[in-house]
Amino acid sequence: MTDYIAAFTTLFVIIDPIGLTPLFVALTHGASAQLRRKIALRACITAAVILFCFGIFGEALLGFVGISMPAFRIAGGVLLFLTALEMLFQKRQTRRQGHTDDAAEDHIDDPSVFPIAIPLIAGPGAIATMILLTDQAEGIGGFAAVMSVMLSVLLIVFILFLVSNMLERILGRVGVNVVTRILGMLLAALAIQFILDGLRSFGLAP
């Protein structure tokens, strides 16, 4: 149960559904409620397929290119820590907003695949997290638990997308910033734990 909660917390923080909702509003501005539902569903399904594939084949891909899991665990921890710093200093939202601007400049009518599914939901951090979590999972039951965690987080993303206008009005810009910083602190601690686990595999940490 503790591992399940830790996996859920890690993936929830790195995907950051609350931080995604204002961007979803911006990308679907002027769209009807029905079209927003279609975009939200398509984006979440696409992200689920991407994360599922990396969860299954990610470790094999690392082995093919000669990267050990402890090394990837350290690299993933560093990546998550940098993401946490961006969240704490509000740089992540600015970078994500840049993706929305790129989409607008390219006149993309359907933003579900780019930039919502990739890279806003299934970005490098989420992909690295899936590989790390599936590596730590024990047996088929553990793997199924990780996949259920991923689907649970994406279900939350989908629900928040559907109520994004209302949520943004309730929290306001200040509320979103506060929640983002709290999640950033949690992610920083989880990232350090990944790094320590990797160093422990090399005998460099107690």
Side-chain angles (χ1 to χ4, degrees):
M1 183 64 178
T2 302
D3 292 340
Y4 184 91
I5 294 175
F8 179 86
T9 302
T10 304
L11 205 53
F12 182 89
V13 170
I14 194 64
I15 292 179
D16 188 16
I18 296 175
L20 286 177
T21 52
L23 302 179
F24 180 78
V25 172
L27 285 167
T28 58
H29 179 69
S32 64
Q34 181 179 7
L35 180 57
R36 280 190 169 189
R37 283 195 297 271
K38 289 181 179 179
I39 292 174
L41 182 61
R42 192 179 296 117
C44 290
I45 290 176
T46 302
V49 171
I50 293 170
L51 295 178
F52 182 80
C53 289
F54 273 98
I56 294 178
F57 303 111
E59 187 173 354
L61 178 62
L62 293 178
F64 179 76
V65 297
I67 301 174
S68 68
M69 269 314 299
F72 185 81
R73 192 173 290 119
I74 295 172
V78 172
L79 175 62
L80 297 183
F81 187 77
L82 293 176
T83 301
L85 292 181
E86 288 185 342
M87 294 174 69
L88 287 170
F89 294 104
Q90 285 299 297
K91 292 182 179 180
R92 190 186 196 201
Q93 202 72 2
T94 301
R95 176 167 52 82
R96 280 177 161 179
Q97 187 63 50
H99 290 304
T100 68
D101 294 339
D102 291 341
E105 290 174 1
D106 291 339
H107 303 289
I108 296 176
D109 295 325
D110 183 359
S112 55
V113 176
F114 174 84
I116 298 178
I118 310 168
L120 297 182
I121 300 177
I127 290 173
T129 301
M130 282 299 297
I131 296 176
L132 292 172
L133 291 177
T134 51
D135 173 67
Q136 293 177 340
E138 297 181 359
I140 300 298
F143 179 82
V146 172
M147 292 303 162
S148 66
V149 164
M150 181 265 290
L151 293 175
S152 298
V153 173
L154 292 185
L155 178 60
I156 294 175
V157 172
F158 177 69
I159 293 173
L160 291 182
F161 279 177
L162 295 183
V163 299
S164 54
N165 275 331
M166 181 177 64
L167 182 66
E168 191 175 27
R169 286 197 298 270
I170 292 174
L171 289 178
R173 184 176 297 274
V174 174
V176 171
N177 288 342
V178 169
V179 171
T180 299
R181 281 179 165 82
I182 293 174
L183 294 177
M185 292 177 63
L186 290 174
L187 182 60
L190 290 168
I192 294 299
Q193 187 61 56
F194 277 131
I195 294 173
L196 290 176
D197 290 343
L199 293 174
R200 191 174 294 115
S201 298
F202 288 115
L204 300 176

